[in-house]
Amino acid sequence: MHDELIARAQAWLAEDPDAETREELAKLIDSGDHAELAARFAGTLQFGTAGLRGELGAGPMRMNRSVVIRAAAGLAAYLESKGQGDGLVVIGYDARHKSADFARDTAAVMTGAGLRAALLPRPLPTPVLAFAIRHLGAVAGVEVTASHNPPRDNGYKVYLGDGSQIVPPADAGIAAEIDAITTLTAVPRPDSGWEVLDDSVLDAYLARTDAVLSPGSPRTARTVYTAMHGVGKDVLLAAFARAGFPAPVLVAEQAEPDPDFPTVAFPNPEEPGAMDLAFAKARETDPDLVIANDPDADRCAAAVKDGSGWRMLRGDEVGALLATHLVRRGVTGAFAESIVSSSLLGRIAEKAGLPYEETLTGFKWISRVDGLRYGYEEALGYCVDPDGVRDKDGITAALLITELASGLKAEGRTLLDLLDDIAVEHGLHATDQLSVRVEDLSVIADAMRRLREQPPTRLAGLPITRSEDLTQGTDRLPPTDGLRYTLDGARVIVRPSGTEPKLKCYLEVVVPVASHADLPSARVKATDLLTTIKHDLSAAAGI
């Protein structure tokens, strides 16, 4: 057994083009660390609808140049099988460890396969890549990023020519082509032949950002901004300057790209502590709004002054605020969200007489809704200009929420005042999440199995009126690994995360509100219900 493992590791080592991972693997082989080798060679990192994402390191179960070259060659073969073997592939990347190497390898593989390849000029936000695909008429796009994952991770996100991320069956088609690659020596990788784009693509993206704002709208809101050690700062500052907003005050410690993310445990605005430096800067400068991007700037977080402190708005709250803003501007077209987001968007769309769609989790589904005008997901993702970027975009979302805050400021009001109005009009929709990060993925599988075999009949004393296993799909949704419980005045969805080792449970309660005076008691009731549902669900899932 050990001999076979060592032989596989040596065969991989012989082909590895990266001196760093070669050295790492050689040390593992020499030290006879069979447990670590077994983990690295337990299979291959699976290519799916999120593309690839994993920890950096040597071997087929890690993110490295060998794995990326195979992925790129598989994508090239897939495009050729679809009659697009001479098309353009545009490639973007963030500032994580190895991102530039993975992007350059992808350009070389595409060029070697007879496709045309174009690299973005430097590390830039993911939405710039999503924009560039359609702007340049590419047949596919690749973004090298692990978004808001820990520093040790990297990833590989694939888009097709429609500018949306891949969905089935394209993912399986690409995965099959990757599996067919037996040796890296068969993959031509020339040293040149691809194009490095200039700033004209970025300029075209920035020119497009103006389209999300109303001509002549107030632009007075003052902001504090953090790029969370990612690539958002320069593009966001340029977009804000073009729009005529006051220049955001930067959180200096997090303003420049840094792949080690030294000031945060996880570079995700939703994680505890990630916004502490931004809130400290806000206490010092007293802005109207705090804005944060995640490291690849496709997500946007907003925080507001609440009493004497600062509070992060939930993704669902920003989702409802932006929807209300767009409705008041008289937009037409479909509103869409994923099943894990608040049902409030459906109520807003219905009252405005707009089409509304619910999709599976992820912008790869939201962006495909017919006639989409606005889409969002509770995990801080907002698509406010689907004709320009068919994906979430943290830059244009930041512009739109700042425009809304400016308009309210002119009326002597705040985003919290508007949230109160929305609750009175549509009912208080309160959401929360039970999220469990695991070391051992079997914990997630066990919890899902337990819930399927012994489904709860009540949560927080509320009877479950409908219990759905989403692996079967529904009349509106394709199959996915998830469970949905409908209660009287509440909803729960349980699913494994697609990008992290987490079990995620999304909770929502809806409390009717007769008037503004009833809001405090409604909030207390909602908080109590969410706390009890969370407790009961934990017990039922055994987590």
Side-chain angles (χ1 to χ4, degrees), residues 203-518:
D203 294 341
Y205 168 82
L206 284 167
R208 176 101 211 162
T209 60
D210 300 354
V212 305
L213 302 174
S214 290
S217 61
R219 311 273 167 97
T220 57
R222 291 167 44 255
T223 53
V224 159
Y225 170 71
T226 175
M228 207 64 68
H229 298 298
V231 298
K233 180 197 70 169
D234 292 347
V235 178
L236 182 126
L237 290 181
F240 269 57
R242 282 183 68 100
F245 288 111
V249 174
L250 299 178
V251 178
E253 303 93 325
Q254 299 174 334
E256 299 304 325
D258 186 332
D260 293 319
F261 305 103
T263 68
V264 288
F266 291 96
N268 176 357
E270 292 182 294
E271 292 281 352
M275 296 289 285
D276 287 357
L277 288 169
F279 292 160
K281 182 60 76 176
R283 286 192 293 273
E284 197 184 299
T285 57
D286 197 31
D288 300 298
L289 194 60
V290 175
I291 297 283
N293 284 138
D294 67 338
D296 68 327
D298 63 351
R299 296 166 194 244
C300 173
V304 292
K305 200 167 190 180
D306 191 3
S308 58
W310 284 83
R311 171 169 89 80
M312 257 273 286
L313 295 175
R314 290 187 171 277
D316 284 318
E317 291 178 310
V318 174
L321 286 166
L322 293 179
T324 301
H325 184 42
L326 291 170
V327 164
R328 289 181 175 180
R329 276 176 32 184
V331 304
T332 55
F335 280 15
E337 64 181 340
S338 62
I339 55 171
V340 298
S341 307
S342 169
S343 60
L344 177 54
L345 185 68
R347 297 208 182 179
I348 292 170
E350 184 184 9
K351 188 148 190 189
L354 295 174
Y356 164 76
E357 281 287 333
E358 209 179 37
T359 73
L360 292 185
T361 314
F363 273 79
K364 57 185 178 279
W365 298 107
I366 293 171
S367 66
R368 286 184 157 74
V369 167
D370 279 349
L372 181 68
R373 176 57 185 84
Y374 168 64
Y376 97 91
E377 189 155 76
E378 55 71 46
L380 311 183
Y382 312 93
C383 174
V384 300
D385 176 26
D387 289 343
V389 176
R390 285 196 182 170
D391 199 0
K392 53 187 180 290
D393 182 345
I395 306 295
T396 49
L399 287 171
L400 199 60
I401 195 75
T402 308
E403 177 186 57
L404 174 56
S406 299
L408 290 165
K409 183 181 180 180
E411 300 167 5
R413 285 157 49 80
T414 68
L415 293 171
L416 292 180
D417 294 326
L418 182 52
L419 280 172
D420 286 351
D421 294 348
I422 293 169
V424 172
E425 186 174 356
H426 301 286
L428 176 66
H429 289 61
T431 55
D432 201 358
Q433 204 181 110
L434 171 63
S435 183
V436 184
R437 188 182 290 275
V438 299
E439 290 295 320
D440 178 1
L441 288 175
S442 70
V443 174
I444 294 176
D446 289 346
M448 294 298 287
R449 192 181 66 244
R450 189 178 285 112
L451 288 171
R452 285 191 170 105
E453 289 172 359
Q454 298 171 299
T457 55
R458 304 173 82 82
L459 292 169
L462 301 172
I464 292 175
T465 54
R466 191 167 175 212
S467 187
E468 297 167 278
D469 187 341
L470 299 176
T471 46
Q472 311 303 312
T474 72
D475 54 347
R476 305 303 299 273
L477 298 169
T480 186
D481 185 8
L483 299 163
R484 177 162 61 180
Y485 304 119
T486 306
L487 301 89
D488 189 16
R491 184 215 63 197
V492 172
I493 290 172
V494 185
R495 61 178 278 274
S497 167
T499 54
E500 297 175 272
K502 278 182 172 181
L503 181 68
K504 293 182 138 183
C505 311
Y506 304 85
L507 325 174
E508 178 176 46
V509 301
V510 183
V511 181
V513 184
S515 70
H516 282 76
D518 299 313

Side-chain angles (χ1 to χ4, degrees), residues 26-358:
K27 278 183 180 164
L28 288 175
I29 294 169
D30 292 345
S31 68
D33 190 340
H34 293 119
E36 184 60 26
L37 282 172
R40 303 290 183 100
F41 286 84
T44 54
L45 210 52
Q46 285 306 297
F47 185 92
T49 49
L52 293 167
R53 204 177 280 190
E55 193 176 333
L56 289 161
M61 288 296 287
R62 297 285 184 269
M63 281 296 293
N64 51 62
R65 291 181 60 198
S66 298
V67 164
V68 163
I69 289 164
R70 281 181 166 80
L75 174 59
Y78 175 82
L79 292 170
E80 193 171 346
S81 76
K82 296 293 177 190
Q84 298 176 319
D86 56 354
L88 172 69
V89 178
V90 59
I91 303 146
Y93 54 103
D94 67 10
R96 283 177 178 264
H97 293 296
K98 299 284 184 189
S99 286
D101 295 342
F102 295 167
R104 205 164 35 248
D105 280 333
T106 301
V109 171
M110 295 302 160
T111 304
L115 287 133
R116 290 176 295 128
L119 274 173
L120 291 185
R122 58 185 169 281
L124 286 166
T126 294
V128 176
L129 180 275
F131 167 81
I133 294 165
R134 295 172 73 206
H135 179 69
L136 298 172
V139 295
V142 170
E143 175 70 19
V144 180
T145 181
S147 191
H148 57 281
N149 273 40
R152 63 177 183 271
D153 290 359
N154 212 330
Y156 198 81
K157 195 182 276 193
V158 176
Y159 299 74
L160 292 180
D162 60 358
S164 294
Q165 293 175 52
I166 53 167
V167 293
D171 57 340
I174 296 167
E177 297 286 2
I178 296 170
D179 290 344
I181 293 153
T182 50
T183 167
L184 286 192
T185 52
V187 180
R189 281 186 295 131
D191 293 329
S192 62
W194 57 89
E195 181 185 1
V196 178
L197 296 165
D198 60 18
D199 273 0
S200 58
V201 168
L202 178 59
D203 294 341
Y205 168 82
L206 284 167
R208 176 101 211 162
T209 60
D210 300 354
V212 305
L213 302 174
S214 290
S217 61
R219 311 273 167 97
T220 57
R222 291 167 44 255
T223 53
V224 159
Y225 170 71
T226 175
M228 207 64 68
H229 298 298
V231 298
K233 180 197 70 169
D234 292 347
V235 178
L236 182 126
L237 290 181
F240 269 57
R242 282 183 68 100
F245 288 111
V249 174
L250 299 178
V251 178
E253 303 93 325
Q254 299 174 334
E256 299 304 325
D258 186 332
D260 293 319
F261 305 103
T263 68
V264 288
F266 291 96
N268 176 357
E270 292 182 294
E271 292 281 352
M275 296 289 285
D276 287 357
L277 288 169
F279 292 160
K281 182 60 76 176
R283 286 192 293 273
E284 197 184 299
T285 57
D286 197 31
D288 300 298
L289 194 60
V290 175
I291 297 283
N293 284 138
D294 67 338
D296 68 327
D298 63 351
R299 296 166 194 244
C300 173
V304 292
K305 200 167 190 180
D306 191 3
S308 58
W310 284 83
R311 171 169 89 80
M312 257 273 286
L313 295 175
R314 290 187 171 277
D316 284 318
E317 291 178 310
V318 174
L321 286 166
L322 293 179
T324 301
H325 184 42
L326 291 170
V327 164
R328 289 181 175 180
R329 276 176 32 184
V331 304
T332 55
F335 280 15
E337 64 181 340
S338 62
I339 55 171
V340 298
S341 307
S342 169
S343 60
L344 177 54
L345 185 68
R347 297 208 182 179
I348 292 170
E350 184 184 9
K351 188 148 190 189
L354 295 174
Y356 164 76
E357 281 287 333
E358 209 179 37

